[in-house]
Amino acid sequence: MTAFLAWAVILVLAALGVYLVVAVSGASGGRGVAPGPGRPQVDRAQEELRLRYARGEIDREEYLQRRIDLE
């Protein structure tokens, strides 16, 4: 019975270790991972510019000029 309990504890600790490794590696939120074939890389500055233009915060001329500046 004692050997069974020892193996059960080892198995539970191993499962917990695997869970923690997966949880920590997933907590990065994808940072440091290159985009795959289906995931285009997003330029945050250009995305913010598009959002400001869509919300009407900037006009077309300013949008086009800033887009050129960012490229």
Side-chain angles (χ1 to χ4, degrees):
M1 183 71 176
T2 305
F4 174 75
L5 185 60
W7 281 107
V9 168
I10 290 171
L11 184 61
V12 168
L13 290 175
L16 182 61
V18 169
Y19 173 77
L20 290 175
V21 167
V22 170
V24 168
S25 66
S28 68
R31 291 183 298 241
V33 177
R39 295 175 52 188
Q41 188 167 355
V42 177
D43 184 350
R44 293 181 63 122
Q46 289 190 359
E47 180 63 23
E48 180 63 29
L49 181 62
R50 282 190 290 273
L51 289 172
R52 290 188 64 201
Y53 180 63
R55 289 189 296 248
E57 295 175 6
I58 58 175
D59 62 5
R60 186 174 195 281
E61 289 181 29
E62 186 174 356
Y63 169 75
L64 293 174
Q65 183 58 51
R66 289 182 183 218
R67 191 178 75 177
I68 291 169
D69 292 346
L70 289 173
E71 293 176 352

